[in-house]
Amino acid sequence: TRGDPRRREAVTVPPPSRTLTPVPGGGRRMRPVALKKEIGLVSACAIIIGNIIGSGIFISPKGVLEHAGSVGLALIIWVLGGGVAALGSLCYAELGVTIPKSGGDYSYVTEIFGGLAGFLLLWSAVLIMYPTSLAVIALTFSNYVLQPVFPNCIPPYNASRILSMVCLLLLTWVNSSSVRWATRIQDIFTAGKLLALALIIIVGFIQIFKGNYKELTPSNAFNFWMTPSVGHLALAFLQGSFAFSGWNFLNYVTEELVDPRRNLPRAIFISIPLVTFVYTFTNIAYFTAMSPQELLSSNAVAVTFGEKLLGYFSWVMPVSVALSTFGGINGYLFTSSRLCFSGAREGHLPSLLAMIHVKHCTPIPALLVCCTATLVIMLVGDTYTLINYVSFINYLCYGVTIIGLIVLRCKKPKIFRPIKVNLLIPITYLAFWAFLLIFSLYSEPIVCGVGLIIILTGVPVFFLGVYWRNKPKSVNRLIESMTCWGQKLCFVVYPQGAVAAEEEAPSAPLAQKKPEK
């Protein structure tokens, strides 16, 4: 009963599909086709770190400082932002090993709250959340790559869009061709990001040893140029929390993890503290070179930092941002395509999107949908306005998912949980979540209202496309023909359920058939 809001009781992982392969004698036999388990612990850490560390820490940490009103409070908020992300990731670790499905938030919400709630999360993510995030990261990449070519002006609109599209298409091809290639790219570019940030931190420590830490002394660090209100603190926390977004992305690829019950929590426990350390000390390094006023006036903090302290090697910072965003695009493509794959497997999206390539075992149709949606967002309009709505939707989804953990504890207290966190952890997270959400609604009612409208537009789509099962035969035939066309074009098979066996050739005697393993 995929897609039915009356979900089955058991928490199960769908079996691998079977596709037909030749055997001696001209016959065919069934062989299983499933997503490959090629993500080890190192690649798992790279997925989390690579998706959290994007362009934000290089370009605009000024959002936290602007609302905090002092250097000291801004640094405290960065540390607390990492703490909140750690609390959320612990909750997701429990959910990830209790419901071992790819799809992350969507799979958990569907399993706990039913089809409609899961579909609304999926709808907002596929329609706007991930395509917009991908578009913004790709445009940031192109702007920094083109910066040396256009040093005295903003890169031309068309040049920026074309380079963004080329980058997106290249990485879609890589992800379609091999899971191993995609994870290797993620490993390499994550290492590049960390090296760039390590350079900033090391230069910052050198500055401190030279005595250039005026802004970090307690008297200056807590010298408020404005008295932050509760609303300002909420916005500062929100900015810091969004800089940590991506901590849940490993849960989208649970079925491709090697030994997920060990490696999922391990990767979380390694990655979140590391990112918190890097973010905090990167901000400390910024304040050794810039006053709060200089940081607030900069549109690219890391570039300004490089120009002030690195001299001839200042080009390293724009290159680092470009490499960081390239890895971010790869990570978002890798994980968001698995969300489409999981949604289709549950019957909430066309079944074609739940198919994987027979040879490469990659979800090519889902990747193509993610790529196409991102290209449309790039061409349609102002992606940077859309990102405000995305941020609210994203944060709302986190809270609903963690509420689901508490609900699952009540509904299924005896279900096997390899990891079981103390209930104080989700309750503490939800307290922060409610605080930020309430003040976001109060401070930005229009942005939050539009975000809610985007989510609710999925309600009629759910009832027409998923809940209504007795559709006219002409509609079903059209869907079937489009699915068959897509299956032939992409050479993919549906991983849930077996494909009907082809008739054995008359010339293939029974004695010549090899037994199946």
Side-chain angles (χ1 to χ4, degrees), residues 131-442:
T132 302
S133 300
L134 263 170
V136 170
I137 298 171
L139 289 170
T140 305
F141 164 80
S142 62
N143 286 334
Y144 274 83
V145 169
L146 293 171
Q147 188 183 40
V149 183
F150 302 95
N152 300 319
C153 63
I154 298 172
Y157 178 91
N158 289 337
S160 177
R161 289 306 193 271
I162 290 169
L163 183 58
S164 300
M165 292 175 184
V166 169
C167 172
L168 185 66
L169 291 169
L170 171 65
L171 287 173
T172 302
W173 174 77
V174 169
N175 277 268
S176 299
S177 300
S178 171
V179 172
R180 189 179 297 275
W181 290 2
T183 54
R184 290 298 171 269
I185 286 176
Q186 197 66 19
D187 295 348
I188 292 166
F189 282 89
T190 298
K193 296 178 191 186
L194 290 175
L195 287 172
L197 290 169
L199 174 62
I200 293 174
I201 293 169
I202 290 168
V203 172
F205 275 117
I206 292 171
Q207 287 288 99
I208 290 172
F209 291 140
K210 288 181 178 179
N212 298 322
Y213 53 85
K214 178 184 175 183
E215 301 296 341
L216 298 172
T217 58
S219 58
N220 289 325
F222 291 95
N223 182 19
F224 290 87
W225 59 84
M226 72 164 190
T227 303
S229 64
V230 178
H232 282 119
L233 288 176
L235 290 172
F237 270 113
L238 204 58
Q239 292 278 350
S241 298
F242 291 145
F244 283 93
S245 63
W247 50 262
N248 62 324
F249 273 25
L250 187 60
N251 293 67
Y252 283 81
V253 294
T254 304
E255 290 171 41
E256 293 168 83
L257 271 176
V258 177
D259 194 3
R261 285 179 173 164
R262 287 182 64 191
N263 287 333
L264 177 63
R266 281 183 178 183
I268 288 170
F269 298 151
I270 292 169
S271 303
I272 303 300
L274 177 60
V275 172
T276 304
F277 172 86
V278 168
Y279 272 17
T280 304
F281 280 91
T282 299
N283 277 275
I284 289 172
Y286 287 153
F287 290 118
T288 64
M290 289 176 278
S291 67
Q293 290 71 30
E294 286 177 313
L295 192 146
L296 289 171
S297 63
S298 173
N299 290 321
V301 178
V303 175
T304 305
F305 177 88
E307 289 171 351
K308 294 195 73 169
L309 295 183
L310 298 181
Y312 178 76
F313 294 99
S314 60
W315 57 268
V316 170
M317 287 299 109
V319 170
S320 298
V321 176
L323 294 178
S324 174
T325 49
F326 188 83
I329 296 165
N330 182 69
Y332 262 83
L333 263 177
F334 188 83
T335 51
S336 60
S337 62
R338 271 57 179 181
L339 178 61
C340 287
F341 171 83
S342 299
R345 191 173 61 184
E346 295 293 332
H348 287 163
L349 291 175
S351 60
L352 178 63
L353 301 183
M355 295 184 181
I356 59 176
H357 194 272
V358 173
K359 181 180 178 183
H360 304 310
C361 296
T362 53
I364 290 178
L367 281 161
L368 292 176
V369 165
C370 292
C371 178
T372 304
T374 305
L375 293 174
V376 169
I377 291 285
M378 279 185 197
L379 294 172
V380 163
D382 188 357
T383 51
Y384 294 97
T385 300
L386 288 172
I387 202 71
N388 293 327
Y389 309 132
V390 167
S391 299
F392 172 77
I393 295 169
N394 201 24
Y395 203 63
L396 185 63
C397 293
Y398 289 161
V400 171
T401 305
I402 292 176
I403 289 170
L405 183 147
I406 298 173
V407 172
L408 188 64
R409 289 275 188 97
C410 299
K411 287 173 64 177
K412 298 181 179 179
K414 295 183 180 180
I415 194 173
F416 176 58
R417 292 177 172 86
I419 296 174
K420 189 173 182 179
V421 300
N422 191 300
L423 270 178
L424 284 175
I425 291 176
I427 289 169
T428 305
Y429 181 91
L430 289 171
F432 273 98
W433 175 77
F435 166 74
L436 294 180
L437 207 64
I438 289 167
F439 280 99
S440 296
L441 285 165
Y442 175 77

Side-chain angles (χ1 to χ4, degrees), residues 350-352 471-487:
S351 60
L352 178 63
K471 297 181 180 69
K473 291 182 179 179
S474 58
V475 174
N476 289 328
R477 281 197 298 269
L478 177 63
I479 293 171
E480 287 172 8
S481 63
M482 291 178 68
T483 302
C484 291
W485 177 80
Q487 189 173 4

Side-chain angles (χ1 to χ4, degrees), residues 33 64 105 116 201 387 451:
V33 177
V64 174
D105 316 62
L116 177 59
I201 293 169
I387 202 71

